[in-house]
Every structure is written in structure tokens, then in C-alpha cells.
């Protein structure tokens, strides 16, 4: 990863690019199945170089929301570019048509797993 970024930092940037801004730290912790302390540390490492910003929630000032900055978007793009060479051998070894055929299934699988994780979390909290 560029600039000494670690995988957990990239994963947070990627999550924010993919799903959008405004997640609460507790939502991120749940999504990554880590403790609040772990996500707080990870967010702190992204705050220092200005890749994210935290803002008070408009409805509850005790709650923070996480937003990707332009510097964070650019860092995400640098990370993606840095990963391209690692995937070249796989790209050359496998048929692009197979990737295209698998993509709808993989997207559905990701959606199912995201939803199942949320339902499990809600169930665990209510029970």
C-alpha cells in the first residue's frame, strides 16, 4: 500500500467509497467485525493524514459520523493503482468471460452476507 497505509486503513477507505459517507464508527466496527477500540484506532490513523473527517451527527451530537475527504479518495485511487500489478498474473491466467459471468453471483453473495450480518447483529442486541 502507498504511503505506509495498512490493509485495515485501505478497507475503511474502500468501504466509504463503495457505500458512501456518514457511517458511525460503531457501524464500521460492526461491518468489519472488530471492537469499537480497534475501529477508533484505525480511524485515528486515517484522520492524521486527512483521509477522513469526523462530524457530529445532526440529530445526536454525542454520535460522530465518518466522511471521506478528497485526500482520502485520492489515496484510495493510489491504493487501487498499487494493487493492479498483483492481480495481473490472475488476469492473464483466467478467462475474462468467467469473471463477467461470476460478477452477478459475487455481488448477490456480498449483499446477502451484508444483510445477514446486520440481521445477526440486530438479533444479538435484542435477545
Amino acid at each position: 500500500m502507498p504511503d505506509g497505509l495498512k490493509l485495515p486503513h485501505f478497507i475503511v477507505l474502500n468501504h466509504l467509497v463503495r457505500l458512501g459517507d456518514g457511517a458511525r464508527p460503531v457501524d464500521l466496527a460492526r461491518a468489519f467485525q472488530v471492537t469499537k477500540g480497534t475501529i477508533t484506532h484505525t480511524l485515528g490513523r486515517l484522520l492524521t493524514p486527512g483521509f477522513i473527517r469526523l462530524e457530529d451527527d445532526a440529530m445526536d451530537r454525542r454520535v460522530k459520523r465518518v466522511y471521506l475527504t478528497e485526500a482520502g479518495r485520492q489515496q484510495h485511487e493510489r491504493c487501487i493503482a498499487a494493487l493492479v500489478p498483483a492481480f495481473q498474473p490472475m488476469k492473464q491466467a483466467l478467462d475474462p468471460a468467467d469473471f463477467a459471468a461470476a460478477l452477478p453471483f459475487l455481488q448477490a453473495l456480498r449483499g446477502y452476507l451484508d444483510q445477514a450480518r446486520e440481521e445477526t447483529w440486530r438479533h444479538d442486541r435484542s435477545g
Side-chain angles (χ1 to χ4, degrees):
M1 294 285 145
D3 304 324
L5 209 68
K6 304 284 188 222
L7 184 60
H9 308 139
F10 170 73
I11 291 170
V12 170
L13 294 179
N14 198 58
H15 183 87
L16 295 172
V17 166
R18 185 171 72 87
L19 296 178
D21 287 327
R24 299 174 306 163
V26 69
D27 297 329
L28 295 172
R30 187 172 57 236
F32 304 131
Q33 299 178 357
V34 298
T35 66
K36 288 187 253 181
T38 297
I39 201 65
T40 298
H41 181 266
T42 301
L43 294 176
R45 302 290 249 170
L46 292 169
L47 272 169
T48 301
F51 296 148
I52 62 167
R53 71 180 190 283
L54 296 176
E55 293 183 10
D56 291 337
D57 183 278
M59 303 299 279
D60 185 348
R61 298 191 58 78
R62 297 170 298 172
V63 174
K64 299 288 185 196
R65 298 279 178 172
V66 181
Y67 294 90
L68 193 60
T69 65
E70 184 56 33
R73 288 184 197 289
Q74 291 173 4
Q75 182 68 2
H76 178 263
E77 289 173 14
R78 284 191 295 275
C79 289
I80 295 295
L83 290 170
V84 167
F87 286 97
Q88 287 302 326
M90 182 174 51
K91 182 179 176 186
Q92 293 170 349
L94 300 173
D95 184 350
D98 291 338
F99 277 106
L103 189 56
F105 167 76
L106 294 173
Q107 289 171 325
L109 178 61
R110 181 193 318 198
Y112 173 83
L113 293 173
D114 286 345
Q115 182 68 28
R117 182 182 57 244
E118 287 300 312
E119 289 174 9
T120 299
W121 183 82
R122 272 191 234 101
H123 179 265
D124 289 349
R125 294 218 44 207
S126 67

